[in-house]
Amino acid sequence: PVETTSDAFAAASLREPATASLVLEDFLAALASKQPTPGGGAAAAVAAAVGMAAATMSAAYTQRKKDVESGAAELATAIAKALNVPVMLEVADADGHAYANLQRSWKEPAMPAAERAEIEQEALNVPTDLIGICHNYVQMIETFLPHCNPNITSDAKVGIHLLAGAARAAFQTAAVNKPSAEVKAKLLWQVAARPRAGSRDCLAARPWPPPRA
């Protein structure tokens, strides 16, 4: 399970998942329109969801007899179970919810300082959590990749690249919400690229904090 700090994730799960209920054309039209939401954070979450779906397909095809005998099928089943696409679409809704509250804080000068600070923190938590989720999922898929049905590894790699791109996109949303120097350093570490063999050129599978030089 992936831990998050964002209350908006829970709040979004209690409402109709608006993003999930939209057809793709309508979501893209809304994203392109002159309105605050859906915005970049939702776009990042949807990109992550697409990447997760592609990786899940590669897991679905790693269920051959030889995969069962080698243990690859069991790993593929675990991957497919972990990559919960509907929950990721709720993240897109959480981003809109957090931004709506942030806009409200700008329009209410008399808002108590504590409430304003909580809203600002929530606006930061949503993309920060998204980056962490993407980072963890990339590591998970990269672990599965050597065991994946070789006829469909390209789809697993598509998942890796889309999740990596989603994390970098979410970083842009996080950055405008003024993370502390420590938080920003961790986020940069999580989205850093390091060329490696095959598809392993996305989110580096490195621990946090980094080892001292």
Side-chain angles (χ1 to χ4, degrees):
V2 178
E3 295 183 357
T4 66
T5 59
S6 174
D7 291 336
F9 281 74
S13 67
L14 297 176
R15 303 188 307 274
E16 177 71 20
T19 302
S21 68
L22 293 173
V23 298
L24 181 59
E25 183 179 10
D26 291 342
F27 172 77
L28 294 176
L31 181 63
S33 66
K34 189 178 180 181
Q35 60 185 36
T37 58
V46 170
V50 174
M52 291 161 62
T56 301
M57 179 174 67
S58 71
Y61 275 97
T62 308
Q63 298 293 337
R64 302 164 300 172
K65 181 179 179 180
K66 64 177 69 176
D67 298 322
V68 174
E69 293 172 348
S70 69
E74 183 178 1
L75 179 57
T77 298
I79 289 287
K81 184 177 180 180
L83 297 173
N84 194 325
V85 173
V87 169
M88 182 55 72
L89 293 178
E90 290 179 0
V91 176
D93 296 333
D95 179 78
H97 177 74
Y99 188 73
N101 280 335
L102 190 62
Q103 282 192 310
R104 179 169 61 84
S105 74
W106 297 336
K107 298 174 183 179
E108 297 182 15
M111 178 180 288
E115 182 180 358
R116 186 181 305 278
E118 182 178 353
I119 287 173
E120 290 174 350
Q121 185 61 50
E122 191 62 34
L124 174 61
N125 285 346
V126 174
T128 296
D129 287 345
L130 176 54
I131 292 167
I133 293 169
C134 291
H135 177 77
N136 291 340
Y137 283 162
V138 164
Q139 291 183 336
M140 190 182 302
I141 299 168
E142 286 189 334
T143 299
F144 165 67
L145 195 57
H147 309 279
C148 180
N149 180 334
N151 297 317
I152 201 164
T153 54
S154 61
D155 295 280
K157 293 175 182 179
V158 165
I160 289 172
H161 284 282
L162 284 172
L163 283 161
R168 296 189 183 107
F171 176 80
Q172 301 306 316
T173 300
V176 299
N177 286 294
K178 302 176 182 178
S180 67
E182 181 180 0
V183 169
K184 187 174 183 179
K186 179 177 181 179
L187 297 178
L188 285 169
W189 180 264
Q190 288 177 315
V191 303
R194 180 176 64 183
R196 288 177 282 184
S199 73
R200 298 177 64 83
D201 59 353
C202 295
L203 300 184
R206 297 178 285 178
W208 179 265
R212 295 183 180 276

